[in-house]
Amino acid sequence: MTRTTIADVAREAGVTKATVSHALSGNRPISNETRNKVLAAAERLNWVPSQSARALATRRANAIAVVLARDPEVIANDSFFPAFIAGVESVLAPTETALILQVVPDRAAEERAYRALSRGRADGALLLDLRTGDWRVPLLDDLNLPTVLVGAYDQHTRFSCVRTDDTAPVREIVAKLRADGHKRIAHVSGPLDYVHSKARAEAYVDAIGGEELLREGDFTAASGRTLTAELLALPERPSAILYSNDTMAIAGLSYARSQGLSIPRDLAISGFDDDHLSAHLSPALTSVSSDPAARGRAAARLLREGILGAEPRTETVDCNVVHFRESTAPAIPAPPEVSRRTP
């Protein structure tokens, strides 16, 4: 097989080899139009410079980073992260770019990690778990570290962003549960300082018309079990619970069964993220597949383009699909009272 060369890219883009080199290295002023033309040509030909030549020419680390400030238990049990990373790696592997994954315990450690990355450890970062008023966005801007935001971010930023619609699936599930006869529908959310958790919770409150049955979890099985117990202990318990991930939903399902409830006859349950085991439970769990691999691919591609000098842009990945399964079903109405006649 013939190896694609810089001459092929130059011919495809309609420029000189020197222009391709300058567009990729950033060492000479090149118009955005020309740089984007070169990047598009390189993408079409699936071409990247050799690792050694790239390092000498650009002084880059040839690595990107993901820093996670999450409980390792959540990372270990949440199906989102392995699939997201697989999507990222599918883009990085052909370019011989390394992925640095760092888990940190708190904000101070997270800030130290980003400062270290900006000093040459990585060429850019993928920012997950966006929070309201996220302090990391201006920090990464100040550090001049190319970054892609994975999630909604409503303030002005020079970074590219990968968005998904986290509200539509919640509205769809609530509408179906209501159509099935459920009147008291609860929601166990993720941490509400996360943008995606807040968006789901707000969609739930708008659909229900109140937050009486909203409970804030932390994506762990323990919080799913604890908050399910709290909801089921109410004088008028819910007949359905929507959880913000499958880990909490499965823990809630298990607790409800331990209390003698039948799923879905006594309690309908739905999750989010569609863990690979969810469809094989008994009963199978209604959940939302969110295709984290597609988001990983989009984020890695945008970051790679940004590192090479492309203009930032927002890309919406239409990937959330509700899968209604046996764990949600029409509510069972209470049997009518039987009148007793005095003999």
Side-chain angles (χ1 to χ4, degrees), residues 3 6 9 55 139 147 190 203 239 244 271 304 318 327:
R3 183 182 180 90
I6 191 172
V9 176
L139 171 68
T147 301
S239 64
S244 202
R304 178 169 175 258
D318 184 13
S327 69

Side-chain angles (χ1 to χ4, degrees), residues 212-232:
E212 174 198 355
L213 296 177
L214 172 65
R215 299 293 185 273
E216 182 178 3
D218 63 6
F219 292 130
T220 65
S223 74
R225 181 180 178 88
T226 298
L227 294 172
T228 302
E230 179 182 319
L231 288 165
L232 296 183

Side-chain angles (χ1 to χ4, degrees), residues 92-329:
L92 299 187
T95 70
E96 299 180 356
T97 302
L99 175 64
I100 299 171
L101 176 62
Q102 186 169 353
V103 179
V104 294
D106 52 39
R107 173 170 173 167
E110 190 171 10
E111 183 172 340
R112 287 195 301 272
Y114 286 123
R115 291 190 182 281
L117 293 170
S118 71
R119 290 193 288 267
R121 286 191 61 206
D123 303 318
L126 301 177
L127 192 60
L128 282 74
D129 290 338
L130 286 176
R131 301 173 177 88
T132 54
D134 202 311
W135 59 269
R136 299 171 299 172
V137 178
L139 171 68
L140 289 166
D141 198 352
D142 289 343
L143 294 174
N144 200 32
L145 185 66
T147 301
V148 170
L149 312 181
V150 183
Y153 189 75
D154 295 329
Q155 300 178 39
H156 175 72
T157 176
R158 67 181 180 89
F159 295 138
S160 290
C161 184
V162 175
R163 294 174 178 263
T164 56
D165 186 353
D166 281 300
T167 63
V170 174
R171 293 194 298 269
E172 184 178 353
I173 292 171
V174 170
K176 175 67 163 56
L177 291 171
R178 278 188 154 170
D180 286 344
H182 294 279
K183 300 190 182 302
R184 286 181 62 78
I185 303 170
H187 177 44
V188 176
S189 75
L192 291 176
D193 61 333
Y194 287 167
V195 169
H196 66 287
S197 294
K198 184 179 179 183
R200 293 174 193 175
E202 288 179 345
Y204 160 80
V205 171
D206 288 344
I208 295 297
E211 53 184 48
E212 174 198 355
L213 296 177
L214 172 65
R215 299 293 185 273
E216 182 178 3
D218 63 6
F219 292 130
T220 65
S223 74
R225 181 180 178 88
T226 298
L227 294 172
T228 302
E230 179 182 319
L231 288 165
L232 296 183
L234 293 173
E236 190 179 357
R237 67 171 177 82
S239 64
I241 305 177
L242 163 61
Y243 297 82
S244 202
N245 77 344
D246 283 5
T247 298
M248 294 191 296
I250 292 169
L253 185 153
S254 177
Y255 176 80
R257 278 183 154 179
S258 75
Q259 300 304 298
L261 298 182
S262 173
I263 312 298
R265 186 190 66 198
D266 300 320
L267 181 69
I269 287 179
S270 68
F272 216 104
D273 289 336
D274 203 22
D275 182 277
H276 64 286
L277 292 176
S278 296
H280 305 286
L281 298 174
S282 182
L285 180 67
T286 290
S287 190
V288 181
S289 61
S290 55
D291 201 352
R295 284 185 269 181
R297 289 192 296 271
R301 187 179 66 254
L302 287 177
L303 182 56
R304 178 169 175 258
E305 292 172 359
I307 291 169
L308 294 176
E311 289 295 304
R313 60 189 177 92
T314 293
E315 184 170 320
T316 299
V317 180
D318 184 13
C319 58
N320 287 332
V321 179
V322 181
H323 299 281
F324 288 104
R325 300 188 180 110
E326 290 85 355
S327 69
T328 54

